[in-house]
Coordinates of all heavy atoms in Angstrom, one line a residue:
Y8 N 191.4 206.3 279.1 CA 190.7 205.6 278.0 C 191.5 204.4 277.5 O 192.7 204.4 277.5 CB 190.6 206.6 276.8 CG 189.6 207.7 276.9 CD1 190.1 209.0 277.3 CD2 188.3 207.6 276.7 CE1 189.3 210.0 277.4 CE2 187.4 208.6 276.9 CZ 187.9 209.9 277.2 OH 187.0 210.9 277.4
A9 N 190.7 203.4 277.2 CA 191.3 202.2 276.5 C 191.0 202.4 275.0 O 189.8 202.5 274.6 CB 190.8 200.9 277.0
H71 N 190.0 215.4 277.3 CA 188.9 215.4 276.4 C 187.7 214.5 277.0 O 188.0 213.4 277.5 CB 189.2 214.8 275.0 CG 190.1 215.7 274.3 ND1 189.8 217.0 273.9 CD2 191.4 215.4 273.8 CE1 190.9 217.5 273.3 NE2 191.8 216.6 273.2
A72 N 186.5 215.0 276.9 CA 185.3 214.2 277.2 C 185.2 213.1 276.0 O 185.8 213.3 275.0 CB 184.1 215.1 277.2
P73 N 184.4 212.1 276.2 CA 184.4 211.0 275.3 C 184.1 211.4 273.8 O 184.8 210.9 272.9 CB 183.3 210.1 275.8 CG 183.4 210.3 277.3 CD 183.6 211.7 277.4
A74 N 183.1 212.3 273.6 CA 182.8 212.7 272.2 C 184.0 213.4 271.5 O 184.4 213.2 270.4 CB 181.6 213.5 272.1
A75 N 184.7 214.3 272.3 CA 185.8 215.0 271.8 C 187.0 214.0 271.6 O 187.8 214.2 270.6 CB 186.2 216.1 272.7
M76 N 187.1 213.0 272.5 CA 188.2 212.1 272.3 C 188.0 211.2 271.1 O 188.9 211.0 270.3 CB 188.3 211.2 273.6 CG 189.4 210.2 273.6 SD 191.0 211.1 273.7 CE 192.1 209.7 273.7
L77 N 186.7 210.8 270.8 CA 186.4 210.1 269.6 C 186.8 210.9 268.4 O 187.4 210.4 267.4 CB 185.0 209.7 269.5 CG 184.5 208.9 268.3 CD1 185.2 207.6 268.2 CD2 183.0 208.7 268.3
A78 N 186.5 212.2 268.4 CA 186.8 213.1 267.3 C 188.3 213.2 267.1 O 188.8 213.2 265.9 CB 186.2 214.5 267.5
L80 N 190.5 210.8 267.8 CA 190.9 209.5 267.2 C 190.6 209.4 265.8 O 191.4 208.9 265.0 CB 190.3 208.3 268.0 CG 190.7 208.2 269.5 CD1 189.9 207.0 270.1 CD2 192.2 208.0 269.6
K81 N 189.4 209.9 265.4 CA 189.1 209.9 263.9 C 190.0 210.8 263.1 O 190.3 210.5 262.0 CB 187.6 210.3 263.7 CG 186.6 209.3 264.4 CD 186.9 207.9 263.9 CE 186.3 206.8 264.8 NZ 186.8 205.5 264.5
L102 N 190.9 203.1 265.0 CA 191.0 203.4 266.4 C 189.6 203.4 267.0 O 188.7 204.1 266.5 CB 191.6 204.8 266.6 CG 193.1 204.9 266.1 CD1 193.5 206.4 266.2 CD2 194.0 204.0 266.8
D103 N 189.4 202.6 268.1 CA 188.1 202.6 268.7 C 188.2 202.8 270.2 O 189.1 202.3 270.9 CB 187.4 201.2 268.6 CG 186.9 200.9 267.2 OD1 186.4 201.9 266.5 OD2 187.0 199.8 266.7
L104 N 187.3 203.6 270.8 CA 187.2 203.8 272.2 C 186.5 202.6 272.7 O 185.3 202.3 272.4 CB 186.4 205.0 272.6 CG 187.1 206.3 272.5 CD1 186.2 207.5 272.8 CD2 188.4 206.4 273.3
I105 N 187.2 201.7 273.5 CA 186.5 200.5 274.0 C 186.1 200.6 275.5 O 185.2 199.9 275.9 CB 187.4 199.3 273.8 CG1 188.8 199.4 274.4 CG2 187.5 199.0 272.3 CD1 189.6 198.2 274.4
A106 N 186.8 201.5 276.2 CA 186.4 201.7 277.6 C 187.0 203.0 278.1 O 187.9 203.6 277.5 CB 186.9 200.5 278.5
W107 N 186.4 203.5 279.2 CA 186.9 204.7 279.8 C 186.6 204.6 281.3 O 185.8 203.8 281.8 CB 186.4 206.0 279.2 CG 185.0 206.4 279.5 CD1 183.9 205.6 279.3 CD2 184.6 207.6 279.9 NE1 182.8 206.3 279.7 CE2 183.1 207.6 280.1 CE3 185.2 208.8 280.3 CZ2 182.4 208.6 280.5 CZ3 184.4 209.9 280.7 CH2 183.1 209.8 280.8
G110 N 182.9 204.6 283.0 CA 181.9 203.6 283.0 C 181.1 203.5 281.7 O 181.7 203.8 280.6
R111 N 179.9 203.2 281.8 CA 179.0 203.0 280.5 C 178.6 204.4 280.0 O 178.2 205.2 280.8 CB 177.8 202.1 280.9 CG 177.0 201.8 279.7 CD 176.0 200.7 280.1 NE 175.0 200.6 279.1 CZ 175.1 200.1 277.9 NH1 176.2 199.6 277.5 NH2 174.0 200.0 277.1
L112 N 178.6 204.5 278.7 CA 178.1 205.8 278.1 C 177.4 205.4 276.8 O 178.0 204.6 276.0 CB 179.3 206.7 277.7 CG 178.9 208.0 277.0 CD1 179.6 209.1 277.7 CD2 179.3 207.9 275.6
V113 N 176.2 205.9 276.6 CA 175.5 205.6 275.3 C 175.0 207.0 274.8 O 174.3 207.7 275.5 CB 174.3 204.7 275.6 CG1 173.5 204.5 274.3 CG2 174.8 203.3 276.1
S114 N 175.4 207.3 273.6 CA 174.9 208.5 272.9 C 174.6 208.1 271.5 O 174.8 207.0 271.0 CB 176.0 209.6 273.0 OG 177.0 209.3 272.1
R115 N 174.2 209.1 270.7 CA 173.9 208.8 269.3 C 175.1 208.4 268.5 O 175.0 207.5 267.6 CB 173.3 210.1 268.7 CG 172.9 209.9 267.2 CD 172.4 211.2 266.7 NE 171.0 211.4 267.1 CZ 170.1 212.2 266.6 NH1 170.6 213.0 265.7 NH2 168.9 212.3 267.0
S116 N 176.3 208.9 268.8 CA 177.5 208.6 268.0 C 178.5 207.7 268.7 O 179.5 207.4 268.1 CB 178.1 210.0 267.7 OG 178.5 210.6 268.9
L117 N 178.2 207.4 270.0 CA 179.3 206.6 270.7 C 178.6 205.8 271.8 O 177.8 206.2 272.5 CB 180.2 207.6 271.3 CG 181.4 207.1 272.2 CD1 182.3 206.3 271.3 CD2 182.1 208.3 272.8
T118 N 179.1 204.5 271.9 CA 178.7 203.6 272.9 C 180.0 203.1 273.6 O 180.9 202.5 272.9 CB 177.9 202.5 272.4 OG1 176.7 203.0 271.8 CG2 177.5 201.5 273.6
I119 N 180.2 203.3 274.9 CA 181.3 202.8 275.6 C 180.7 202.0 276.8 O 179.9 202.5 277.5 CB 182.2 203.9 276.2 CG1 182.7 204.8 275.0 CG2 183.4 203.3 276.9 CD1 183.5 206.0 275.5
P120 N 181.1 200.7 277.0 CA 182.2 200.0 276.3 C 181.6 199.7 274.9 O 180.4 199.7 274.6 CB 182.4 198.8 277.1 CG 181.2 198.6 277.9 CD 180.6 199.9 278.1
H121 N 182.6 199.4 274.0 CA 182.3 199.1 272.6 C 181.2 197.9 272.6 O 181.4 197.0 273.4 CB 183.5 198.7 271.9 CG 183.3 198.6 270.4 ND1 182.7 197.5 269.8 CD2 183.7 199.4 269.4 CE1 182.7 197.7 268.5 NE2 183.3 198.8 268.2
P122 N 180.2 198.0 271.9 CA 179.1 197.0 271.9 C 179.5 195.6 271.7 O 178.9 194.7 272.2 CB 178.1 197.5 270.8 CG 178.4 198.9 270.6 CD 179.9 199.1 270.9

Side-chain angles (χ1 to χ4, degrees):
Y8 291 97
H71 295 299
M76 186 66 178
L77 179 63
L80 296 179
K81 296 307 162 193
L102 299 173
D103 287 322
L104 283 178
I105 56 171
W107 76 306
R111 184 165 165 77
L112 178 134
V113 177
S114 73
R115 182 181 279 195
S116 61
L117 179 61
T118 300
I119 303 174
H121 192 281

